[in-house]
Amino acid sequence: AVDLDVCAMRGVDKGVAVRVTGKQGIGIDLRGPGYQDLVVYRRDWPMGRASVVNANAVWHHIRVEARAHHYRVWVNRELLIDREDPHKAYPAGQIALPAYTGGTGKCTVYYDNVVVTPLP
């Protein structure tokens, strides 16, 4: 499991990737202006999407649980994604803290309180 607080000042996507090996893993993107959603994906394959208000300059808490090939994602303590990866990709790996500029060409994101814990 990984818990973190994230705040974007400008840009579009921010979030976390889990089970990262090299440049691949399971991405969790909290997308802001123009999207206002949360997406979970493996490479180009979407695993889930949920609407969530995500304005710039607002802190959000994200929790991701990865058990076997089952992923659950909370934003601000609300469970938004609960999905199984039928391809059973990425059984292990590290975390990454990605941020994307989108059409703005600039991105500023703050992360805080990043905690990784084993799940029973």
Side-chain angles (χ1 to χ4, degrees):
V2 61
D3 284 274
L4 60 97
D5 296 319
V6 61
C7 179
M9 300 308 290
R10 62 182 174 177
V12 179
D13 300 3
K14 62 289 234 163
V16 61
V18 298
R19 295 190 170 166
V20 176
T21 303
K23 294 183 178 182
Q24 298 181 10
I26 304 296
I28 295 95
D29 285 343
L30 186 58
R31 303 190 309 173
Y35 296 96
Q36 301 298 326
D37 64 2
L38 172 75
V39 292
V40 177
Y41 58 91
R42 181 183 55 81
R43 297 186 63 129
D44 293 331
W45 182 70
M47 294 174 56
R49 181 186 172 283
S51 295
V52 62
V53 176
N54 179 27
N56 283 332
V58 176
W59 282 94
H60 297 282
H61 182 80
I62 299 175
R63 177 176 174 83
V64 179
E65 290 184 356
R67 295 177 193 256
H69 298 287
H70 193 124
Y71 298 90
R72 294 171 44 159
V73 182
W74 289 260
V75 175
N76 300 327
R77 295 191 173 98
E78 180 180 356
L79 179 62
L80 297 178
I81 304 286
D82 189 352
R83 296 281 192 276
E84 184 86 18
D85 178 6
H87 300 282
K88 303 195 181 329
Y90 314 122
Q94 301 175 337
I95 68 164
L97 301 176
Y100 308 99
T101 65
T104 66
K106 297 179 182 180
C107 188
T108 303
V109 178
Y110 297 106
Y111 292 92
D112 200 4
N113 306 310
V114 179
V115 178
V116 177
T117 55
L119 293 171

